[in-house]
Amino acid sequence: ANRLRILSLLAENELCVGDLAAVLEMSESAVSHQLRNLRVMRLVSYRKQGRYVFYRLHDSHVLHLYQAVAEHLDEKDEG
């Protein structure tokens, strides 16, 4: 569930760990752990800017996959 929430936020914007943690009301350590798993699965990528690390969806294929899953879940809730 937390990984899906992270993907949902990253589908909209590139974000750093601190921003994700604040929005998700999770510790930065917990968010970093989930992001590490998402990186291993090649769903997110990152770039470093100074001491900050910004995460984004790996590519447009991941965005389309996320959108399809979100659409499916919306249909399931309606039905």
Side-chain angles (χ1 to χ4, degrees):
N2 287 328
R3 290 181 200 156
L4 189 55
R5 291 170 55 205
I6 290 170
L7 291 175
S8 175
L9 291 169
L10 295 179
E12 297 177 21
N13 292 305
E14 179 182 72
L15 295 165
C16 66
V17 173
D19 292 340
L20 285 164
V23 172
L24 297 169
E25 298 180 345
M26 295 172 60
S27 70
E28 288 188 16
S29 175
V31 171
S32 292
H33 177 76
Q34 296 301 329
L35 287 166
R36 190 170 29 259
N37 290 326
L38 291 168
R39 275 197 336 256
V40 168
M41 291 185 276
R42 298 181 57 213
L43 297 176
V44 300
S45 57
Y46 68 95
R47 68 177 177 87
K48 292 184 178 182
Q49 183 175 339
R51 45 177 242 172
Y52 294 98
V53 179
F54 291 89
Y55 288 86
R56 63 186 175 276
L57 295 184
H58 186 69
D59 58 26
S60 62
H61 294 102
V62 176
L63 177 60
H64 296 305
L65 178 62
Y66 166 77
Q67 289 169 334
V69 169
E71 185 177 309
H72 175 74
L73 292 174
D74 286 345
E75 289 173 359
K76 188 175 179 182
D77 287 342
E78 292 172 3

